[in-house]
Amino acid sequence: MTKFSIIIPAYNVEDYLPVCLDSVLSQDFRDYEIILVDDGSNDSTGQICDAYQSSHQKSRTNPDEKYDKNTPTPPSSTIVAQNSKNVKVIHQQNAGLSEARNSGVKIATGDYLIFLDGDDFLAPDALTKISTALANFHKTTKTPVDLLRFQCQDLLSNGELIPRPEPGFAPLPGPAAFPLLAHCHYTENAWLYCYRTEFFKSNHFTYAKGRLAEDFGLTPLIIARATSVAAIPDICYNYRQRPGSIMQDSAKLRQRVVDSFAGLEYQLPLLEQIGPKLTAPTAHYLSVSFLTLASQLPEQDFLQFYQKFTRSGFKKYIRPQSLRSFPRAFLLRHFPRLYRFLFRPKDQSIVKEIIEYHNH
C-alpha cells in the first residue's frame, strides 16, 4: 500500500495549485499518492490537475536543484520523476470542500490520509518527519497511531511567515489528548492531522456537505474516538492567508454559526456515547467555541442562538476545566449579554479568542 494518500481539494485555485503540487512532488519521501479533486472549478484548475497527472513524470529541469527550506514556496522546476499512477484526478460538479474531501477519501489506498488544501503547501521535509514520527511511536507503543498532529505556519499576503509552534506529545487516548490540542493555535482544522485510513474509514467519518464549518463539525469527534493520538512539534504545513475574511461577511458569518450549531447537534450525543466524563473537555470546547463565534453576530441574533443552544440542553456542557476559566464560564452560563460585551473578539480573530479562553 501507498504510505500516504494526500487529498487535495481544488476549487478555482489556478494561481496557487502549482506551488501546492510542487511542494508534494519535491518531497524526499517518495511513498505516497496524490488525489486531486477538481470541485467544478470554472478557471484553469481542472486543466492544471490533468496536466500534472499526464506530465509530472518529467525530470526536474536541474536535477541538482534543491528545495530551499528557507523559501516559503518551492520553485516550479522541482518536480521529480514519479509513476503517473501515483497521481489521481477526480472532476466533479461543484459540491463544496466537504464533498471534495469525501470523494478523495473514497478512493484513497494509503495507510494514512493527509488533507492539503489547493492554495496551501507542505514544508520541504514534511512527509519524512511525519513518517518518522509514526514509525517511532509505533515502535514504542507496539500499536499504530490513529491520529498524528503536526504544526503549521501562516503565509500572509505580503509574504510574511508567522510560525505557530506547539509542543508535541507521546500517544494518548483521544479524550486525554484533546485538552492538549485545545490549547493549540488551531485545533479543528482538518489539514493539521495525519489520519490512519483504516481508523477513518471504519468509523465512517464524512464531512458534512455544504457547510462552512465542516472541520468544526467533525475533527473534535475524530480526536475523541481515536485510540492513539500523538503530536509532533515540527511545522509541516504552510497555511496561506488569502484576502477576505468570513468574519467581515455578515451573511457567511451567520451561515457559519448555523453550520456550527449543526455540528454541535451531531457531535454532542456521540460524545455522550463515548463517555460523558471522558469527553467533558471536548464538549466544553465545542460549546464555548460555538458561543464565542455566535458572539460576533449582532446582539439580538446572538441571543437567539444562545436561546436555541439553551433549549437544546447544551448549557450543561459548559464545564470549565480550571478555576481560572470559571469566571468566564459562569458569565456565559448566566449572563450572556455581559459575556458578549466583555469577551467578544475585538480583532475579528475568533481563533485567537478561543485559544485565549482555553489558555486561561
Side-chain angles (χ1 to χ4, degrees):
M1 292 179 67
T2 303
K3 185 70 173 183
F4 295 116
S5 291
I6 302 172
I7 299 170
I8 305 178
Y11 175 71
N12 289 353
V13 287
E14 61 182 3
D15 293 335
Y16 309 104
L17 188 56
V19 169
C20 173
L21 291 170
D22 286 356
S23 77
V24 179
L25 294 169
S26 60
Q27 296 282 317
D28 290 334
F29 187 90
R30 312 305 308 148
D31 199 4
Y32 60 80
E33 66 178 359
I34 297 174
I35 302 175
L36 283 164
V37 185
D38 169 31
D39 189 39
S41 300
N42 51 37
D43 63 0
S44 64
T45 293
Q47 293 93 314
I48 293 172
C49 292
D50 291 337
Y52 267 80
Q53 183 183 38
S54 63
S55 67
H56 76 287
Q57 291 174 278
K58 296 179 181 179
S59 298
R60 60 173 66 138
T61 303
N62 179 0
D64 296 323
E65 184 177 8
K66 298 295 183 181
Y67 177 0
D68 185 354
K69 297 181 180 181
N70 296 317
T71 302
T73 58
S76 59
S77 61
T78 57
I79 303 175
V80 297
Q82 286 286 312
N83 183 329
S84 60
K85 293 182 179 179
N86 286 353
V87 176
K88 304 174 182 178
V89 176
I90 299 173
H91 295 286
Q92 63 183 35
Q93 293 184 344
N94 180 249
L97 176 61
S98 300
E99 282 296 278
R101 286 178 179 158
N102 294 336
S103 296
V105 170
K106 288 178 183 177
I107 67 169
T109 61
D111 299 320
Y112 282 86
L113 309 171
I114 294 176
F115 296 110
L116 172 62
D117 286 356
D119 52 351
D120 299 333
F121 53 98
L122 296 180
D125 49 1
L127 296 184
T128 297
K129 289 180 176 178
I130 294 170
S131 178
T132 300
L134 289 171
N136 288 340
F137 286 136
H138 193 173
K139 183 178 180 180
T140 301
T141 64
K142 309 303 181 184
T143 57
V145 173
D146 288 334
L147 196 65
L148 181 73
R149 156 85 185 211
F150 45 84
Q151 313 311 325
C152 74
Q153 59 185 355
D154 296 345
L155 174 62
L156 306 185
S157 57
N158 63 4
E160 180 184 1
L161 285 169
I162 303 178
R164 303 297 185 185
E166 303 290 350
F169 55 84
L172 293 168
F178 190 87
L180 300 178
L181 297 172
H183 285 278
C184 294
H185 188 83
Y186 299 114
T187 298
E188 65 266 15
N189 301 71
W191 37 260
L192 272 174
Y193 300 89
C194 178
Y195 311 79
R196 189 165 65 89
T197 306
E198 184 179 357
F199 158 71
F200 195 97
K201 289 187 174 183
S202 65
N203 278 276
H204 306 289
F205 293 131
T206 56
Y207 293 96
K209 182 178 179 179
R211 290 184 188 167
L212 293 178
E214 78 290 334
D215 308 77
F216 178 83
L218 186 60
T219 302
L221 178 63
I222 292 175
I223 297 170
R225 279 191 175 172
T227 300
S228 176
V229 178
I232 56 176
D234 305 273
I235 291 179
C236 297
Y237 195 97
N238 293 284
Y239 174 40
R240 193 187 298 273
Q241 298 278 12
R242 295 169 63 182
S245 170
I246 191 173
M247 307 305 291
Q248 297 169 355
D249 186 324
S250 58
K252 286 186 177 180
L253 173 58
R254 183 178 179 84
Q255 186 59 49
R256 186 174 180 85
V257 174
V258 171
D259 291 348
S260 295
F261 189 81
L264 284 184
E265 292 181 306
Y266 171 69
Q267 291 187 89
L268 291 176
L270 295 176
L271 292 174
E272 287 278 350
Q273 293 177 14
I274 296 172
K277 292 184 178 179
L278 288 174
T279 58
T282 308
H284 173 79
Y285 173 91
L286 287 167
S287 300
V288 173
S289 297
F290 166 74
L291 291 173
T292 306
L293 175 65
S295 74
Q296 285 289 289
L297 295 170
E299 182 177 292
Q300 196 58 39
D301 291 340
F302 165 68
L303 292 176
Q304 289 178 358
F305 279 105
Y306 185 88
Q307 291 167 3
K308 185 176 182 180
F309 176 88
T310 301
R311 288 196 302 269
S312 298
F314 294 159
K315 194 183 288 188
K316 68 180 181 181
Y317 294 111
I318 302 177
R319 300 175 184 173
Q321 304 301 303
S322 68
L323 290 176
R324 294 182 66 186
S325 62
F326 178 82
R328 280 184 142 188
F330 180 82
L331 289 177
L332 195 53
R333 286 180 64 97
H334 303 288
F335 302 98
R337 280 192 177 91
L338 182 57
Y339 174 87
R340 180 181 179 275
F341 176 77
L342 293 175
F343 298 116
R344 181 168 63 100
K346 305 301 191 297
D347 63 355
Q348 302 298 309
S349 177
I350 184 67
V351 175
K352 286 178 63 177
E353 179 66 12
I354 292 172
I355 297 309
E356 181 182 347
Y357 178 91
H358 285 289
N359 284 342
H360 294 87

